[in-house]
Amino acid sequence: MANITLGGTPTRTIGNLPEIGSIAPKFIGLKSDLSPFDSNELDGKNIIINIFASIDTSICAESTRKFNEKVSTLDNTVVVCVSMDLPFALERICGGENLKNIIPVSVFRSSFGNDYGVTISDGAFEGLLSRSVVVINSNGSVIYTEQVPEIGQEPNYDAAIGSL
C-alpha cells in the first residue's frame, strides 16, 4: 500500500501502482456521454492515465487542463482522466471547457481502483482514487508511474510526458 497525505494528514491506498515493465491492467468505465469505455479501444497508442479523486477539486481540474494542453502536440498519444466521479461531473468540466485531447472516464462501477492499487483505504477520501499518473507505451507496458505523495499536489507533468 502507498502512504500518502490529504492536507498533511496521513492516509493510505489499498495497494501500489503497477510496476514499471509490467503489462498495464485493462479497465472499463463510462465516458462523460454515458457511453461505455474499454481500454482495449486504445491498443497501439501511448496512454497517459491521469488518476484523481474528484474533478470538482481545483487541482484535479487543473491536472486535466494541463495534460490536455501538453499532449496536443504528441502523436499517437491519448490522456485518459480517471476518477470515481459520475460522468455528469466529468462532462461539466471537460465538455464545458472543450478539452479535446483527453478522454474523461468514470470508474464508479469498475474494479479500476483495485486493479491499479489507487483506491484510498481510509480517511476523509476513503473509497476515492489517489492522485497518480501511469504512462503506458504503445505495446501496453507501463513505462512511468507517479503516486503523488500529497493529494493536494499536482503531478510531475514533464516527467510523465518525458517518459514517452
Side-chain angles (χ1 to χ4, degrees), residues 10 17 20 25 32 36 56 60 64 71-72 79 86-87 90 101 107:
L17 292 168
I20 302 290
S32 58
D56 285 319
C60 297
T64 301
V71 300
S72 64
V79 175
L86 293 176
L90 293 168
N101 300 313
V107 293

Side-chain angles (χ1 to χ4, degrees), residues 89-150:
L90 293 168
E91 175 59 22
R92 186 177 60 253
I93 300 296
C94 301
E97 295 187 21
N98 203 27
L99 304 178
K100 297 289 187 192
N101 300 313
I102 60 161
I103 301 171
V105 175
S106 170
V107 293
F108 78 102
R109 293 189 298 209
S110 168
S111 63
F112 178 90
N114 290 333
D115 298 342
Y116 277 77
V118 294
T119 301
I120 298 170
S121 61
D122 57 9
F125 278 16
E126 182 178 352
L128 297 178
L129 305 180
S130 65
R131 185 176 318 287
S132 313
V133 177
V134 177
V135 180
I136 304 163
N137 69 15
S138 60
N139 296 321
S141 294
V142 175
I143 59 171
Y144 174 84
T145 63
E146 178 186 8
Q147 173 63 70
V148 179
E150 164 58 47

Side-chain angles (χ1 to χ4, degrees), residues 50-108:
N50 178 31
I51 306 163
F52 49 82
S54 176
I55 194 73
D56 285 319
T57 64
S58 61
I59 299 296
C60 297
E62 185 62 21
S63 71
T64 301
R65 290 181 194 104
K66 284 188 179 176
F67 273 122
N68 179 72
E69 176 188 330
K70 289 184 177 289
V71 300
S72 64
T73 60
L74 299 178
D75 291 330
N76 199 40
T77 302
V78 63
V79 175
V80 181
C81 292
V82 175
S83 75
M84 295 292 282
D85 287 307
L86 293 176
F88 313 109
L90 293 168
E91 175 59 22
R92 186 177 60 253
I93 300 296
C94 301
E97 295 187 21
N98 203 27
L99 304 178
K100 297 289 187 192
N101 300 313
I102 60 161
I103 301 171
V105 175
S106 170
V107 293
F108 78 102

Side-chain angles (χ1 to χ4, degrees), residues 146-157:
E146 178 186 8
Q147 173 63 70
V148 179
E150 164 58 47
I151 293 173
Q153 174 184 328
E154 291 184 67
N156 187 336
Y157 304 103

